[in-house]
Amino acid sequence: MSTDYKFQGWMGLDPKAVDGNMKWQSYEPKEWKETDVDIKITHCGICGSDLHMLRSGWGETDYPCVVGHEIVGTAVRVGSKAEGGIKVGDRVGVGAQSSSCLKPNCAECSDGHENHCQNTTNTYGDKFKDGSGKSYGGYADYSRVPSHFVFKIPEEISSAEVAPMLCGGITVFSPLKRNGAGPGTKVGIVGIGGLGHFGLLYAKALGCEEIVAISRTSAKKEDAMKMGATKFIATDEDKDWATHNAMSLDLIVSTVSSPKMPLMDYFQLLKTYGQFIQVGAPEDSLAGINCFALIGKGIKMGGSMIGSPSEIREMLDVTVKKGVKPWIQERPMKDANQTVVDMVDGKARYRYVLVNEAHA
């Protein structure tokens, strides 16, 4: 069955794409399955992952590639076997994952941890494991995605606000919730960028007793306090910051992507049995760790990757109940190249959202 709409978007053709050299081109979406949903895209958030992928920062990208995995729009075609009660005309969204094996003998999928399935498919720059084609992202007019990873958007959240939650928001909500953030806990968020600002917002929404924003300088202190921080540490402005704040936090979520982060100092901030969770993904290896920094206080160091479909729905529910409002800047889809350049230059405050004016 053919459609009366075309799949076209901003295509990265080589690593120079990240310098504002994406090209608007048509492409062939995955083969249609009756479990799929076609989405007419109205909004797409810009994520740091998009930059890594455009420049082949995490390994060689399978060009051509349309990036963007914070997709919101209208369902225009819904397969007869689609999940989730999605109907044509519904406002829906897609995050960083568009498929997993969903087999009964897969421990991850069966236990609701689809984001950790070993046969997952990313929303862009990947291939569907059933051979149905390649995945293309949301800097585009339309997207075709398996329905298990398509979410109805609550009417209380605007399309522009919900878009960056579908990757940026869940990337910090999931480790906060799974590692006990809530009343009585003291939490630190390292890095006050797109991910870090969500960390502050959701730590507040979850009712944490103390929320400490950790950044190199105090340039974003005023913003961080408005987002929910109760304390701010500027590591470049106090040479003894780790000593002054030692044994003060139950949980740290690190959103930075620098391989040169001062891990030993961050560990000093943790209480006995504290946890350090890394969600930022550097393009190089992290610095070495002295194991006695972990052993001495029984500290746990771990990582977290996006979130499962059930966690995304829980995040959206919390967003509605607690009135979480991300700090976003809307840009026209036609200006995607310039917006990517501005993102590279660190100008976002705090998430860019592309608006497809032809569909919004």
Side-chain angles (χ1 to χ4, degrees), residues 207-276:
C208 295
E209 177 182 333
E210 187 167 57
I211 305 167
V212 181
I214 304 170
S215 188
R216 289 185 297 106
T217 75
S218 55
K220 297 178 181 177
K221 180 177 180 178
E222 184 177 350
D223 286 352
M225 303 305 281
K226 291 177 181 177
M227 292 169 189
T230 58
K231 184 176 180 179
F232 193 95
I233 297 174
T235 60
D236 284 356
E237 298 173 11
D238 176 6
K239 65 181 179 65
D240 296 319
W241 61 273
T243 302
H244 293 160
N245 298 281
M247 300 284 287
S248 62
L249 299 176
D250 301 296
L251 170 66
I252 294 174
V253 176
S254 170
T255 70
V256 298
S257 294
S258 170
K260 299 179 181 179
M261 65 183 83
L263 284 172
M264 296 301 103
D265 291 327
Y266 293 150
F267 292 163
Q268 282 193 55
L269 305 184
L270 290 169
K271 299 178 182 179
T272 300
Y273 301 126
Q275 299 181 85
F276 181 94

Side-chain angles (χ1 to χ4, degrees), residues 320-341:
V320 171
K321 290 180 178 178
K322 297 297 183 179
V324 175
K325 296 286 185 181
W327 292 32
I328 62 172
Q329 295 165 288
E330 298 179 44
R331 296 283 189 89
M333 182 72 76
K334 64 181 177 63
D335 294 340
N337 272 315
Q338 183 58 53
T339 309
V340 164
V341 171

Side-chain angles (χ1 to χ4, degrees), residues 10 15 26 28 47 67 79 127 139 157 184 210 222 240 258 308 310 326-327 331 340:
W10 286 110
S26 297
E28 187 68 26
C47 180
V67 298
K127 290 183 172 66
Y139 295 14
I157 314 174
E210 187 167 57
E222 184 177 350
D240 296 319
S258 170
S308 68
S310 62
W327 292 32
R331 296 283 189 89
V340 164

